[in-house]
Amino acid sequence: MAKWFKSATLASGFFASGMMQGANEISWYVYHLPPLYIQEGPGRGEGIVDLALQRQLIPGLPAYQHKFINVPLKRLELMLRDEDNACALGLFKNAEREKTMIFSQPFFAQLPPGVMIPRTQIAQLRPYLVAGDKLNLSKLLEDEVLTVGAQSGRSYGANIDELLQAYKGKKNIYLNSAPNAAKSLLQMNALGRVNLVLGYPYEANFLNSRDNADYIDLKFYPLQEQPAYLLGYAACSKSAFGEQAIEQINTVLARREVLEAIALVYESWLPEDARALAHQVHNQAFQFKGRVRK
């Protein structure tokens, strides 16, 4: 797959052969955030959004050249603010981002983030669990007994972003800026500096089964404050180029078979017991009565 990713990256540059260099070139900003983007090591190019971009979106945009630039997640928003032809796939929409970005129609619905914690430590969460085995994050942050680890510059959906902002500066929120923050924060958990880590169901599954060298038996808890699902978008710079690019991107994302293919890759990264719910959420979000299967 690594060879395929490299060849696809190079081939994308020929989609618009004969065009003025850079005139119709999209700079796609990507970042290492397994398993959304896997930009290094085993499985490079096989992440959920890697494949959505390479196999579904880019082939539908033959009028553009495509360049890939790997940046730290915390710099992503700056690049989309400062460059006219910058785009990224896999972002959440919020009011702050809409000041500098133009968003596409949604391209996939995902189960919202929750918290990850080693199973050996779950007893300390019992005072904060509510119906449905969900965690009341607001109460946990207010009590300031347990420390929550999160990735700096990452969005966890509007509800949780606002909650974290409200408690910003509290001693029980620890922000980590490492490229693979979830792994780093769980290492801090082993040292007793962080009690639980904000993350997504696919991250818990990835860390449980794929990252064998650092295996931790994790339990994932959804959050009381979250909606049933969150929508992911493509975003481009708020410029004339960005407006035109988003218009073309929307024509690709209007195709049901494209959305279905992306959803199947996403579901493949989830724990077995979460896949049926993810399928239901996908149909609900895009108002599908049933999945088209080839």
Side-chain angles (χ1 to χ4, degrees), residues 28-40:
W28 291 102
Y29 281 89
V30 299
Y31 42 91
H32 186 60
L33 188 64
L36 283 182
Y37 284 104
I38 305 175
Q39 296 295 299
E40 57 189 51

Side-chain angles (χ1 to χ4, degrees), residues 241-252:
F241 181 96
E243 289 180 4
Q244 184 181 46
I246 287 295
E247 183 177 338
Q248 296 302 310
I249 288 168
N250 279 339
T251 65
V252 181

Side-chain angles (χ1 to χ4, degrees), residues 24-186:
N24 282 325
E25 182 179 78
I26 297 177
S27 292
W28 291 102
Y29 281 89
V30 299
Y31 42 91
H32 186 60
L33 188 64
L36 283 182
Y37 284 104
I38 305 175
Q39 296 295 299
E40 57 189 51
R44 180 173 182 264
E46 296 181 8
I48 297 165
V49 186
D50 285 319
L51 297 181
L53 185 59
Q54 292 283 353
R55 293 184 177 177
Q56 304 302 324
L57 187 54
I58 284 177
L61 299 170
Y64 290 92
Q65 295 174 309
H66 303 274
K67 179 171 68 175
F68 298 87
I69 303 172
N70 198 329
V71 295
L73 180 58
K74 61 183 179 180
R75 289 186 55 203
L76 180 66
E77 294 186 20
L78 295 177
M79 305 313 293
L80 267 71
R81 182 193 69 187
D82 295 340
E83 294 194 13
D84 289 345
N85 66 334
C87 295
L89 186 65
L91 299 186
F92 292 135
K93 185 190 299 186
N94 60 40
E96 190 63 28
R97 287 177 171 177
E98 286 186 288
K99 294 177 182 177
T100 58
M101 304 178 197
I102 302 169
F103 285 83
S104 70
Q105 64 189 52
F107 76 97
F108 88 123
Q110 61 175 298
L111 302 179
V115 296
M116 301 179 289
I117 187 170
R119 289 183 185 273
T120 56
Q121 301 174 19
I122 60 177
Q124 61 191 318
L125 294 187
R126 286 182 184 138
Y128 308 105
L129 296 179
V130 296
D133 216 20
K134 294 183 177 181
L135 182 80
N136 185 334
L137 184 61
S138 303
K139 184 174 186 290
L140 186 146
L141 291 174
E142 181 64 30
D143 282 357
E144 296 190 34
V145 173
L146 301 177
T147 299
V148 179
Q151 182 164 2
S152 178
R154 187 178 192 183
S155 174
Y156 295 95
N159 291 358
I160 302 306
D161 290 348
E162 291 174 8
L163 186 59
L164 292 176
Q165 184 62 31
Y167 286 93
K168 187 176 181 180
K170 293 277 190 178
K171 64 180 182 180
N172 62 332
I173 295 180
Y174 184 90
L175 297 178
N176 186 294
S177 59
N180 193 350
K183 178 178 175 180
S184 178
L185 286 165
L186 287 167

